[in-house]
Amino acid sequence: RPFLGVVLLVTGIRDAGDKSELEAELREAGAELLEEEQLRSAFAPASASFSPGSSSAALKAKLLGGDLLLVTGGPAKTIKFYFGLALGLQPLSTGWARRCLAKGCYLRPSAADEALRLPPLLPACSLLAGRTIVPVGDDGWVANCAPLLAAAGADVQTELPRVHHSASGAAAAPCVVIADTLEEAAPLFARARARRLPVADLRWLKTMLMRQRYRDPRPAPA
């Protein structure tokens, strides 16, 4: 069983029949396939608004310490794909997975097996490490976005912070307010400016994950 003990994120396969067939074969070959809800649960931020249980903590530890791979049909705009990038996973092609199944053994991936070429990948949970991010929007969007931010290493909060200063009197490093689109964040611009907080949209996060490099967002528009 070539994938025994391996945890897979499978995404980016347009044909639903092809996806179901490949997933069934991978499970039979010993793989554990993760669904979006499991990822969201594992990385739900530990704050007053989120309450990950012990099973979620165990899953998170397993993902960060075990054999976790991202298999995709190509660049995908899916939560699994971006979680994979946040966790430092090189996207591998479905062709590689099928070759492993055909050979009946695990084939160590090479550059030819990459689904797409990316810049050097950062370690898991490091892109936003040391940064505070406040997702704003409807409850469903925040519930989906917050775990992805946490997987990228962010300290996820649910309330806009007050302006505060360090012991030296200098303004503390600002956090970032993120919304699905800047249009949705518009009602917050005045409050963000008052607190000297930059505002970003989801495209900012996705671009950084693809480029594997942090980029400061712009200040809130006037």
Side-chain angles (χ1 to χ4, degrees):
R1 303 177 75 189
F3 288 101
L4 188 63
V6 177
V7 182
L8 296 178
L9 305 180
V10 179
T11 189
I13 303 173
R14 295 186 178 181
D15 186 277
D18 288 346
K19 183 173 185 289
S20 296
E21 179 183 356
L22 179 58
E23 289 180 335
E25 292 179 9
L26 289 169
R27 288 192 178 97
E28 190 170 338
E32 177 184 352
L33 274 58
L34 285 189
E35 300 302 329
E36 292 180 7
E37 186 56 40
Q38 291 173 287
L39 289 166
R40 287 192 290 265
S41 176
F43 290 94
S47 71
S49 299
F50 302 95
S51 54
S54 58
S55 60
S56 297
L59 176 58
K60 179 179 179 180
K62 178 180 179 180
L63 296 181
L64 296 178
D67 292 322
L68 177 64
L69 299 174
L70 171 62
V71 175
T72 178
K77 297 179 180 180
T78 65
I79 191 72
K80 286 185 185 178
F81 182 77
Y82 288 113
F83 259 104
L85 298 184
L87 297 175
L89 303 181
Q90 172 63 53
L92 300 173
S93 70
T94 55
W96 167 79
R98 293 188 185 281
R99 283 192 295 276
C100 292
L101 293 169
K103 292 282 187 179
C105 63
Y106 181 86
L107 303 173
R108 186 177 295 277
S110 67
D113 298 314
E114 297 173 0
L116 67 158
R117 293 295 176 89
L118 294 171
L121 290 162
L122 296 170
C125 307
S126 64
L127 177 66
L128 297 176
R131 303 181 187 277
T132 299
I133 312 290
V134 181
V136 295
D138 64 62
D139 291 344
W141 185 84
V142 171
N144 283 329
C145 184
L148 178 57
L149 292 166
D155 171 25
V156 182
Q157 299 295 325
T158 56
E159 300 291 339
L160 293 181
R162 298 180 179 275
V163 176
H164 63 284
H165 293 74
S166 65
S168 65
C175 71
V176 177
V177 178
I178 185 171
D180 190 8
T181 65
L182 288 180
E183 288 76 13
E184 290 188 16
L188 288 169
F189 287 162
R191 293 166 60 195
R193 283 196 306 273
R195 292 167 171 79
R196 305 175 188 174
L197 301 178
V199 176
D201 58 10
L202 190 58
R203 182 174 54 182
W204 168 77
L205 174 60
K206 291 179 176 179
T207 299
M208 291 191 299
L209 287 169
M210 289 295 293
R211 295 179 179 175
Q212 291 289 292
R213 179 167 56 88
Y214 181 81
R215 176 175 61 86
D216 286 324
R218 297 177 179 178

